[in-house]
Amino acid sequence: MADLTRERVDAAYAALMTGDKSKILEYWDENLRFEMPGHHQFSGWYVGLDDYLTKMGKLGEAHGGRFAATTKHVLILPEAGISIDVYELDGYRPGAAEGTISPYDRLQVQGVHMLRWENGRVVEGRSALFGDGVTRGNLWWSPVDDAGERTEL
Amino acid sequence: MADLTRERVDAAYAALMTGDKSKILEYWDENLRFEMPGHHQFSGWYVGLDDYLTKMGKLGEAHGGRFAATTKHVLILPEAGISIDVYELDGYRPGAAEGTISPYDRLQVQGVHMLRWENGRVVEGRSALFGDGVTRGNLWWSPVDDAGERTEL
Amino acid sequence: MADLTRERVDAAYAALMTGDKSKILEYWDENLRFEMPGHHQFSGWYVGLDDYLTKMGKLGEAHGGRFAATTKHVLILPEAGISIDVYELDGYRPGAAEGTISPYDRLQVQGVHMLRWENGRVVEGRSALFGDGVTRGNLWWSPVDDAGERTEL
Amino acid sequence: MADLTRERVDAAYAALMTGDKSKILEYWDENLRFEMPGHHQFSGWYVGLDDYLTKMGKLGEAHGGRFAATTKHVLILPEAGISIDVYELDGYRPGAAEGTISPYDRLQVQGVHMLRWENGRVVEGRSALFGDGVTRGNLWWSPVDDAGERTEL
């Protein structure tokens, strides 16, 4: 069984990005449960790796390519099987004006993922956002733009 | 052209309930715009009567039959082509325990519809809720239940 | 006893603006209950006219003078003792940049007041906002600005 | 300068609990900035240790004694001067019925504090909550109870 190290956390996220399921399964458990914060249409617990991967695909559609995610820090507590990474997001909804500060159109938040590891794989993930990030997430992931018009997801 | 009377407002809602499109078109304009309050997945402006009717069908799935809507008052201002009806909702999400008070599982709100009429038909509708009803609506229409588990809509 | 007319509704609001308690008491009951929507620090039911008038003073401090309230329509239903007025607000928090669209710094909402009248005086008032106005109100009345810094009320 | 260890994190929180300012200053910087998540009346950045300690006193009044806070895990990243502790809260508003599940009356959340340390002292703290905890916090810290009545803080 692989030890829980900061490098292994980095490698787990890198595997996700490849989209290669067999690679992903080296780090993420088939029965993964993952929770998105807030109460928007993508919030709540995803059950199973497939459910989670499907969601990630939809998230990509929601931002249409203008989205940056940066990992700032990775902390681990191997004896409890816990890692926490600190991240930062900056993304736009499709069609949003560059530089807008409306939280309906742009998401600028910092937060953490807390991952629980068993036998070298992530079995549970939860996310939390600092400041009023959860409200900003609720507005950004909502179908309404700053003017209240619907932009279907 | 039909006058704007309280009876006509009642008749417009009764027509909606029939599901009969030709009947509905006597009271609701083909190009109706209708706004649901809040920032949940059904919020924002619906564009066109068909879009609005489709939404109403989905709303029915969200409550699975345990939903009561009551009209308390109808007010009209014919010279401005405006009617406002005061309503009350009490509904459950499918699977929610009878009598629960969790706003994630049960919606108990009072509010108004403001309708704008032209040539005897509703061309625009907007809804607003009293108290913290909009937050309650955001929680209730969200996919997460009181425990954070997803109940797909 | 004074009849409930649209003119009397206008006069009730005009009396409020004078700040003259004896004038106000001609239209607003000593035991008035009035509800602000949302869940911010000024939300909920105010009990008694004095409580309500005190709140209105604090609301003034929150916007520091840049605040416009416009009544668009007044509807009445005398047989039920109900009036509903439709209004529009546009206000800034002190220090907010002119023209900003951040809902933390600027409030742009439309809504209604529903007043219940007895013996010619308002005994109960409730407010509701269209669109995502209640969320916007929650953000605007909060002590945090767009950057998360506190601006004490 | 004291090293950043998990024991030192525990000791910093223990010092806070004593209320002894000179003890507190061994672990918390005079110019501490600390951020409460959400957009309720206690949200946002507190500036300076005194401001933060005053806030903590008011938080105590808000729950009236029925409040449990439990630390689940402490993670550290000494080379970045960062600690993250995972905590759990269960608290009631004064007068709330034992066992209620209304988020307006009871707060049940899990989250993290991220602390930034310099020269052995905390100079910055931020909090984030998992799931829909921030919304629950907004409702709980609000002055309105489940019925919309105000319970002044």
Side-chain angles (χ1 to χ4, degrees):
Chain A
M1 175 198 130
D3 289 335
L4 174 48
T5 60
R6 295 171 56 205
E7 291 67 32
R8 190 157 180 84
V9 176
D10 288 339
Y13 283 110
L16 262 192
M17 290 303 108
T18 66
D20 174 348
K21 185 85 182 279
S22 67
K23 189 78 188 152
I24 293 171
L25 281 166
E26 289 177 29
Y27 301 93
W28 302 80
D29 196 273
E30 191 73 60
N31 298 311
L32 171 72
R33 281 172 55 85
F34 197 96
E35 187 189 39
M36 276 286 270
H39 55 260
H40 56 74
Q41 60 195 308
F42 294 114
S43 297
W45 283 102
Y46 289 83
V47 178
L49 183 59
D50 290 339
D51 190 23
Y52 176 63
L53 294 176
T54 303
K55 177 205 72 170
M56 286 186 57
K58 285 193 193 151
L59 297 191
E61 294 168 29
H63 60 67
R66 286 187 295 168
F67 197 85
T70 316
T71 299
K72 311 294 283 184
H73 304 291
V74 176
L75 287 74
I76 56 170
L77 185 61
E79 58 267 48
I82 299 278
S83 69
I84 297 184
D85 55 280
V86 183
Y87 64 89
E88 199 167 281
L89 304 179
D90 186 357
Y92 288 89
R93 288 296 293 271
E98 196 70 25
T100 182
I101 59 166
S102 169
Y104 292 90
D105 292 335
R106 187 178 184 183
L107 182 68
Q108 289 184 295
V109 293
Q110 295 95 42
V112 300
H113 296 118
M114 177 170 72
L115 305 181
R116 198 157 58 73
W117 299 70
E118 280 178 12
N119 303 315
R121 290 189 181 77
V122 183
V123 293
E124 188 183 285
R126 307 185 77 180
S127 180
L129 299 170
F130 294 111
D132 205 17
V134 166
T135 301
R136 290 175 180 269
N138 286 334
L139 300 184
W140 195 78
W141 294 118
S142 85
V144 297
D145 69 11
D146 192 68
E149 299 296 336
R150 284 179 67 85
T151 52
E152 311 286 348
L153 283 183
Chain B
M1 177 196 128
D3 289 334
L4 173 49
T5 60
R6 294 172 56 206
E7 290 67 31
R8 189 155 181 86
V9 176
D10 289 338
Y13 283 110
L16 262 193
M17 292 302 109
T18 65
D20 173 349
K21 185 82 182 280
S22 67
K23 188 79 190 152
I24 293 172
L25 280 167
E26 290 177 28
Y27 301 93
W28 301 80
D29 196 274
E30 192 72 61
N31 297 313
L32 170 73
R33 280 171 54 86
F34 197 97
E35 187 189 39
M36 274 285 270
H39 55 260
H40 57 73
Q41 60 194 309
F42 294 114
S43 297
W45 282 101
Y46 289 82
V47 179
L49 182 60
D50 289 338
D51 190 24
Y52 176 62
L53 294 176
T54 303
K55 178 204 72 168
M56 286 186 59
K58 285 193 193 153
L59 296 191
E61 292 168 33
H63 61 66
R66 287 187 294 168
F67 198 85
T70 316
T71 298
K72 311 295 284 184
H73 304 291
V74 176
L75 288 75
I76 56 169
L77 185 61
E79 57 268 48
I82 299 276
S83 69
I84 296 183
D85 57 280
V86 183
Y87 64 89
E88 198 168 280
L89 304 179
D90 187 356
Y92 289 88
R93 288 296 292 271
E98 195 71 24
T100 183
I101 58 165
S102 169
Y104 293 89
D105 292 334
R106 188 177 183 182
L107 183 67
Q108 290 184 292
V109 292
Q110 294 95 43
V112 300
H113 297 117
M114 176 169 74
L115 306 181
R116 198 157 58 73
W117 298 70
E118 280 178 12
N119 303 316
R121 289 189 181 77
V122 183
V123 292
E124 187 184 284
R126 306 185 76 180
S127 179
L129 299 169
F130 295 111
D132 205 17
V134 166
T135 301
R136 291 174 180 270
N138 286 335
L139 300 184
W140 195 79
W141 294 117
S142 87
V144 298
D145 69 11
D146 191 67
E149 300 295 337
R150 283 178 66 86
T151 52
E152 311 288 346
L153 281 184
Chain C
M1 175 196 130
D3 287 335
L4 173 48
T5 60
R6 295 172 56 205
E7 290 68 31
R8 189 155 180 86
V9 176
D10 289 339
Y13 283 110
L16 261 193
M17 290 304 108
T18 66
D20 174 349
K21 185 83 183 280
S22 68
K23 189 78 190 152
I24 294 171
L25 280 166
E26 289 177 30
Y27 301 93
W28 300 81
D29 196 274
E30 191 73 61
N31 298 312
L32 170 73
R33 280 172 56 83
F34 196 96
E35 187 189 39
M36 275 284 271
H39 55 260
H40 57 74
Q41 60 194 310
F42 294 114
S43 296
W45 283 102
Y46 289 82
V47 178
L49 182 59
D50 290 337
D51 190 24
Y52 176 63
L53 294 177
T54 303
K55 178 204 72 169
M56 286 186 59
K58 285 194 193 151
L59 297 190
E61 293 168 30
H63 60 66
R66 286 188 295 169
F67 198 85
T70 316
T71 298
K72 310 295 283 184
H73 304 290
V74 177
L75 287 74
I76 56 169
L77 186 61
E79 57 268 48
I82 299 276
S83 69
I84 296 184
D85 56 280
V86 182
Y87 64 89
E88 198 167 281
L89 304 179
D90 187 356
Y92 289 88
R93 287 296 291 272
E98 196 69 24
T100 182
I101 59 165
S102 169
Y104 292 91
D105 292 335
R106 187 177 183 182
L107 182 67
Q108 288 184 293
V109 293
Q110 295 94 44
V112 299
H113 296 118
M114 177 171 72
L115 306 181
R116 198 158 57 73
W117 298 70
E118 279 179 14
N119 303 316
R121 290 189 181 76
V122 182
V123 293
E124 188 183 284
R126 307 186 76 180
S127 179
L129 299 169
F130 294 111
D132 206 16
V134 166
T135 301
R136 290 174 180 270
N138 286 334
L139 300 184
W140 195 79
W141 294 117
S142 86
V144 297
D145 68 11
D146 192 66
E149 300 295 336
R150 284 178 67 85
T151 51
E152 311 287 345
L153 281 185
Chain D
M1 175 197 130
D3 287 336
L4 173 49
T5 60
R6 295 171 55 205
E7 290 67 32
R8 189 156 180 85
V9 177
D10 289 339
Y13 283 109
L16 261 192
M17 291 303 108
T18 66
D20 174 347
K21 185 82 182 280
S22 67
K23 189 78 189 152
I24 293 171
L25 281 166
E26 290 176 30
Y27 301 93
W28 301 80
D29 196 273
E30 191 73 60
N31 298 312
L32 170 73
R33 281 172 53 86
F34 197 96
E35 187 189 39
M36 275 284 269
H39 55 259
H40 56 74
Q41 59 194 311
F42 295 113
S43 297
W45 283 101
Y46 289 83
V47 178
L49 183 59
D50 290 338
D51 190 24
Y52 176 62
L53 294 176
T54 303
K55 178 205 73 169
M56 286 186 57
K58 285 195 192 150
L59 297 191
E61 293 169 31
H63 60 66
R66 286 187 295 168
F67 198 85
T70 316
T71 298
K72 310 295 284 183
H73 304 291
V74 177
L75 287 75
I76 56 170
L77 186 61
E79 57 267 48
I82 299 276
S83 69
I84 296 184
D85 56 280
V86 183
Y87 64 88
E88 198 167 282
L89 304 178
D90 187 355
Y92 288 89
R93 287 297 293 270
E98 197 70 25
T100 182
I101 58 165
S102 169
Y104 293 90
D105 292 335
R106 188 177 183 184
L107 183 67
Q108 289 184 295
V109 292
Q110 295 94 43
V112 300
H113 297 118
M114 178 170 73
L115 306 181
R116 198 157 58 74
W117 298 70
E118 281 178 12
N119 303 315
R121 290 188 180 79
V122 182
V123 292
E124 188 184 285
R126 306 186 76 181
S127 179
L129 299 170
F130 294 112
D132 205 17
V134 166
T135 301
R136 290 176 180 269
N138 285 334
L139 300 184
W140 195 79
W141 294 117
S142 86
V144 297
D145 69 11
D146 192 67
E149 300 295 336
R150 283 178 67 87
T151 53
E152 310 288 346
L153 282 184

